[in-house]
Amino acid sequence: DQQVKQNSPSLSVQEGRISILNCDYTNSMFDYFLWYKKYPAEGPTFLISISSIKDKNEDGRFTVFLNKSAKHLSLHIVPSQPGDSAVYFCAALTGGTSYGKLTFGQGTILTVHP
Amino acid sequence: NAGVTQTPKFQVLKTGQSMTLQCAQDMNHEYMSWYRQDPGMGLRLIHYSVGAGITDQGEVPNGYNVSRSTTEDFPLRLLSAAPSQTSVYFCASTLKGTGGGYNSPLHFGNGTRLTVT
């Protein structure tokens, strides 16, 4: 049973436009959410996170939105750049000391065209 | 600063063979873990450790063993390789942090691509 789902396997956008990556979850015990970015032949790298007590967190061009009632989060990248082309993974944590026990989504391949 | 180092980068095994995937980190992180990445499945937790001498199972532990004799190293052993273990394996580490470690995202190595024939 996939507790974190990224239903779009891929997304293609034009440079300068907005990229919106979506993620849904089913476990109401999740209270911390993260986005990781992965280039080919490299490990995932942390991008941005959000606590369940917030509904938005912003870091430069990256903003994550959380809708707890809908169990949905999204990552917005504005403006998109060709270097943003990568696989993006949504991940979630439950409370307490589960700091490393992330549950990941399947990933979305983002391609930004010049 | 090397971060998390995984060796080898690539490995081909025959069914039934055993091997050890190596993972070392130089950041003095208490927490280390192993994930496998399969197409359409994301990353799934195999085993993890919260400190030297302490290990526990993750979501998909069958067929794998781990031990943690030092803070720096966390090897993953495949006891008898099966084609279903063909995957990309990632080691990751983090500080335990405070408040449950929410401010300590995982640092990943670059992975080991394993093929079992």
Side-chain angles (χ1 to χ4, degrees):
Chain A
D1 178 31
Q2 193 86 22
Q3 296 186 66
V4 178
K5 295 182 184 179
Q6 294 175 255
N7 292 317
S8 298
S10 63
L11 175 67
S12 182
V13 300
Q14 210 62 31
E15 181 179 6
R17 305 294 291 270
I18 184 171
S19 295
I20 300 176
L21 296 97
N22 294 304
C23 179
D24 298 295
Y25 62 96
T26 57
N27 188 345
S28 57
M29 297 299 293
F30 289 143
D31 66 352
Y32 197 71
F33 303 89
L34 306 92
W35 285 92
Y36 279 81
K37 177 179 177 179
K38 183 185 179 305
Y39 291 118
E42 295 184 9
T45 54
F46 170 72
L47 191 57
I48 192 169
S49 61
I50 188 167
S51 165
S52 61
I53 62 173
K54 296 186 176 181
D55 55 18
K56 177 182 173 182
N57 188 28
E58 197 169 350
D59 184 2
R61 296 185 298 114
F62 302 92
T63 303
V64 56
F65 295 92
L66 175 62
N67 183 333
K68 281 182 63 180
S69 60
K71 292 193 176 67
H72 177 84
L73 63 155
S74 61
L75 174 68
H76 293 210
I77 306 174
V78 183
S80 300
Q81 300 173 353
D84 296 330
S85 297
V87 180
Y88 289 78
F89 290 99
C90 168
L93 273 172
T94 56
T97 57
S98 62
Y99 26 82
K101 293 173 68 176
L102 293 173
T103 300
F104 283 87
Q106 307 96 310
T108 297
I109 302 169
L110 173 65
T111 304
V112 181
H113 299 283
Chain B
N1 190 354
V4 179
T5 302
Q6 290 185 239
T7 55
K9 286 184 169 43
F10 302 94
Q11 183 70 49
V12 179
L13 291 178
K14 292 188 190 307
T15 297
Q17 287 184 315
S18 63
M19 79 157 294
T20 299
L21 280 63
Q22 302 291 344
C23 175
Q25 53 88 14
D26 61 359
M27 298 172 283
N28 204 30
H29 286 171
E30 301 97 333
Y31 180 94
M32 296 185 74
S33 56
W34 279 99
Y35 284 83
R36 58 178 288 175
Q37 183 194 3
D38 301 293
M41 303 286 288
L43 286 84
R44 292 180 293 168
L45 181 64
I46 305 171
H47 283 286
Y48 65 97
S49 167
V50 298
I54 306 169
T55 64
D56 206 346
Q57 297 180 350
E59 182 186 353
V60 288
N62 292 341
Y64 308 95
N65 268 0
V66 291
S67 59
R68 184 95 179 269
S69 55
T70 66
T71 300
E72 294 78 20
D73 301 296
F74 191 44
L76 178 72
R77 296 182 188 83
L78 279 70
L79 308 172
S80 177
S84 61
Q85 294 179 304
T86 293
S87 187
V88 181
Y89 291 85
F90 290 100
C91 179
S93 71
T94 188
L95 287 168
K96 281 168 126 178
T98 58
Y102 291 145
N103 293 324
S104 300
L106 283 174
H107 296 259
F108 284 85
N110 285 333
T112 294
R113 183 174 292 275
L114 175 69
T115 302
V116 183
T117 61

